[in-house]
Amino acid sequence: MRVQGYVIHTRPFQDEKVLVDILTREAGLIRGVWRKKAKEARVSPGSFLLLEFELSGRSELKTIRSAEALGVSIQLTGIALYSAFYVHELIERLLPVNLPFEPLFILYQWLISHLGGDVPIAPLLRRFELGLFEELGVQVNMAATSRGEVLEPNQLYQLHHKFGLRPYYGEQPKIKPIVFLDGAAAMAYASGSWNNKYVLTLAKELHRAWLDLALGEKPLKSRSLLPASPYDGERLWQVPIFKLSDKV
């Protein structure tokens, strides 16, 4: 079997073997064993290079027969490199193996090509996270209430993992929501207004809460490499509140 993909993670195995996680176009995340040999193409983590792999084996763990470069490696440094490590850890931790996720593969290609440019990084990460949630089927509908009702820009809502958006009328919540937000903020998030810093801050709070739920008790190691920017805005019942209608 021949597939195209990117090396996401490697770790030592037996003797001169290496375990390799590959994000492929054809079969999603594949795990394989690579036997290092002299004069063969090197497979290394963080190379950000599209490779064509020849794989064999019927089990989930494949044998990598060969790896051939299909282009030029994208050179990343500093925060861009650390952001790519963060994305790789998300893929390795959350994506099931041997299931095709071509839209996510295309999104990953888009991400690393833009990380190599002179563009703001936060919008790129939030867009990738959203694409990952969509592929995994864990995103919350932010374009309507949990009952399918149209959002009102000035109405305040509370957002829960299980229940989605519900109107909030001032009572103390029985279950602590992820955030409070007005309809304008929810609709801006749903439309992908990543050029709005306020929407980016909202997205960061939402995505971190969703990721923490999906990842469980084991934190992401790569988060320690990225700049920390805790939410320091308005709160209600100790919960972050976002009211975009006030900003217009």
Side-chain angles (χ1 to χ4, degrees):
M1 177 174 67
R2 302 189 76 88
V3 297
Q4 294 182 9
Y6 293 87
V7 172
I8 298 300
H9 184 63
T10 66
R11 50 208 176 278
F13 193 40
Q14 305 167 346
D15 301 326
E16 295 189 359
K17 296 178 182 178
V18 179
L19 285 176
V20 185
D21 291 346
I22 311 164
L23 180 64
T24 70
R25 182 188 300 273
E26 298 84 356
L29 184 63
I30 289 178
R31 295 202 163 103
V33 178
W34 169 266
R35 183 187 294 274
K36 294 187 289 185
K37 297 178 182 177
K39 298 182 181 181
E40 283 193 342
R42 291 184 300 170
V43 178
S44 59
S47 60
F48 312 109
L49 172 66
L50 181 62
L51 298 159
E52 183 173 72
F53 296 89
E54 182 180 356
L55 307 174
S56 64
R58 295 184 179 181
S59 68
E60 285 192 353
L61 186 62
K62 306 299 182 184
T63 298
I64 303 173
R65 298 295 183 187
S66 65
E68 181 179 350
L70 296 179
V72 179
S73 176
I74 296 174
Q75 301 300 314
L76 301 179
T77 59
I79 297 301
L81 178 61
Y82 300 150
S83 298
F85 288 163
Y86 165 75
V87 166
H88 283 192
E89 191 173 4
L90 288 181
I91 292 172
E92 183 195 2
R93 292 277 302 275
L94 296 178
L95 213 62
V97 297
N98 299 322
L99 288 177
F101 291 98
E102 187 172 2
L104 191 67
F105 178 86
I106 295 171
L107 187 59
Y108 174 83
Q109 286 190 307
W110 169 85
L111 173 75
I112 60 172
S113 67
H114 283 76
L115 283 176
D118 185 20
V119 296
I121 290 177
L124 303 180
L125 294 181
R126 302 296 85 81
R127 178 64 189 91
F128 182 85
E129 290 165 350
L130 180 60
L132 179 61
F133 297 146
E134 290 173 345
E135 287 298 298
L136 295 176
V138 298
Q139 82 278 16
V140 174
N141 181 13
M142 297 286 284
T145 70
S146 56
R147 295 182 177 181
E149 300 163 335
V150 176
L151 301 180
E152 298 292 336
N154 296 311
Q155 171 66 48
L156 196 61
Y157 298 88
Q158 50 186 318
L159 177 65
H160 296 270
H161 286 296
K162 293 183 178 180
F163 310 126
L165 287 170
R166 289 181 169 182
Y168 175 72
Y169 298 111
E171 72 283 0
Q172 183 174 358
K174 295 180 180 179
I175 301 175
K176 185 178 179 180
I178 303 171
V179 295
F180 293 101
L181 71 168
D182 63 11
M187 288 186 286
Y189 172 89
S191 65
S193 299
W194 309 119
N195 60 335
N196 186 314
K197 291 183 178 180
Y198 197 70
V199 176
L200 278 178
T201 303
L202 167 61
K204 185 173 183 178
E205 287 296 309
L206 293 180
H207 294 185
R208 186 169 189 123
W210 292 339
L211 286 171
D212 287 347
L213 185 66
L215 293 166
E217 297 182 358
K218 187 178 178 181
L220 291 169
K221 295 179 180 179
S222 53
R223 274 182 179 163
S224 63
L225 301 174
L226 299 174
S229 53
Y231 176 77
D232 60 357
E234 184 182 356
R235 290 179 182 268
L236 178 63
W237 302 110
Q238 299 183 337
V239 174
I241 180 171
F242 295 88
K243 297 173 69 175
L244 190 58
S245 58
D246 290 350
K247 307 294 181 182
V248 179

